[in-house]
């Protein structure tokens, strides 16, 4: 669980950096470190189905859904830095919908994030 807490802090730092205008300078390194900590990368997430991703992220503690949520948030943050953000946003959206269905708790934060993603996808399309 320590890993999950640390990754949550990293994501908060990513959002803070982006909102402060420091995202392009500081966030690529934080995103890379966070993906390494999750033992995954963008290519894996983009090329696999959510159930496969959950299995890969489960680890020894069975916290794959929690890690998947963090991975989805990392994809969103990476989309702000990418010249091709739509695939990242689409995958983040897919993962968050999967989480809403498979997690034991319904998350209003997730639903708000899904709405934000939908607006951004429409804007970029």
């Amino acid at each position: 669980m320590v890993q999950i807490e640390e990754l949550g802090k990293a994501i908060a730092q990513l959002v803070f950096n982006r909102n402060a205008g420091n995202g392009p300078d500081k966030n690529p390194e934080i995103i890379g470190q966070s993906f390494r900590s999750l033992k995954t990368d963008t290519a894996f997430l983009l090329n696999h189905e959510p159930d496969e991703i959950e299995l890969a992220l489960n680890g020894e503690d069975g916290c794959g859904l929690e890690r998947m949520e963090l991975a989805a948030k990392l994809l969103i943050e990476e989309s702000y830095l990418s010249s091709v953000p739509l695939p990242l946003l689409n995958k983040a959206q897919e993962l968050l919908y999967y989480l809403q269905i498979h997690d034991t708790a319904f998350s209003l934060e997730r639903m708000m994030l899904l709405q934000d993603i939908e607006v951004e996808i429409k804007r970029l399309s």
Side-chain angles (χ1 to χ4, degrees):
M1 286 304 249
V2 172
Q3 177 198 38
I4 292 171
E5 290 174 16
E6 292 302 315
L7 287 167
K9 290 176 187 177
I11 290 169
Q13 185 65 53
L14 290 168
V15 173
F16 177 79
N17 290 347
R18 178 173 41 84
N19 290 336
N22 297 326
D25 296 332
K26 298 179 181 179
N27 286 358
E29 184 176 332
I30 296 171
I31 290 169
Q33 288 172 347
S34 297
F35 276 132
R36 283 189 295 281
S37 180
L38 284 172
K39 297 180 180 143
T40 193
D41 58 24
T42 305
F44 177 82
L45 297 173
L46 291 176
N47 293 305
H48 289 83
E49 295 300 315
D51 57 335
E52 297 171 312
I53 295 168
E54 179 187 0
L55 263 175
L57 295 176
N58 257 336
E60 295 175 7
D61 58 6
C63 293
L65 290 176
E66 291 87 348
R67 288 185 183 94
M68 184 185 291
E69 187 156 14
L70 295 169
K73 290 178 180 180
L74 286 171
L75 288 172
I76 293 166
E77 289 304 317
E78 189 173 6
S79 78
Y80 286 104
L81 302 173
S82 176
S83 60
V84 188
L86 279 175
L88 301 169
L89 291 172
N90 284 325
K91 182 52 88 166
Q93 183 181 49
E94 179 184 9
L95 295 179
L96 291 171
Y97 276 125
Y98 180 89
L99 285 161
Q100 280 297 84
I101 294 167
H102 293 89
D103 196 4
T104 57
F106 181 83
S107 170
L108 288 175
E109 177 197 1
R110 240 183 258 142
M111 291 306 296
M112 290 173 45
L113 201 50
L114 282 164
Q115 287 177 343
D116 292 344
I117 292 170
E118 187 66 33
V119 168
E120 190 64 12
I121 288 172
K122 285 180 182 176
R123 187 186 74 75
L124 292 169
S125 295

